[in-house]
Amino acid sequence: MSDSEKIPEIFKLIDILDGLETLIDGAPNEDVEDILEEAWLQISDTFPDDFKAATQHDAGAEGLRRYLKVKTFFENPSERSIGAADLEEYYRSYIAAEEDEESTDFFFPD
């Protein structure tokens, strides 16, 4: 299955994760929250490896959607459009994550 064929499936999974995030926020106790978080992790683990690596710093449902929009735009910019705000937010979160990694390299060298 090609990347473009996986996109509708990934959007469906992101919608499920979004619903789980809402449930996690309203969990009546820690035990239920833990179960929902485990479900979230298991579902997110079904994403392709390149997708997981690219979204490791912004892995909430909104960040996953944003990454997918950016990815599809750069794969075919003549057929896909993206708003400047989405692109700016993606790069802002990506750059912030890179800066955080660089600041911890001193403490955790490769």
Side-chain angles (χ1 to χ4, degrees), residues 42-95:
Q42 287 185 18
I43 292 168
S44 66
D45 199 38
T46 66
F47 289 130
D49 289 338
D50 62 327
F51 192 87
K52 288 188 286 190
T55 59
Q56 67 182 338
H57 299 291
D58 193 7
E62 191 58 37
L64 296 171
R65 281 190 191 96
R66 187 178 307 110
Y67 169 73
L68 200 52
K69 288 178 188 176
V70 170
K71 178 180 172 60
T72 57
F73 169 73
F74 280 111
E75 285 177 353
N76 195 348
S78 63
E79 290 186 20
R80 309 262 189 208
S81 65
I82 188 170
D86 282 328
L87 193 57
E88 182 179 332
E89 182 60 33
Y90 172 75
Y91 280 107
R92 188 177 315 134
S93 66
Y94 179 77
I95 289 169

Side-chain angles (χ1 to χ4, degrees), residues 30-43:
E30 253 184 66
D31 291 337
V32 172
E33 186 177 332
D34 290 344
I35 292 167
L36 294 169
E37 286 176 356
E38 182 61 31
W40 197 100
L41 290 171
Q42 287 185 18
I43 292 168

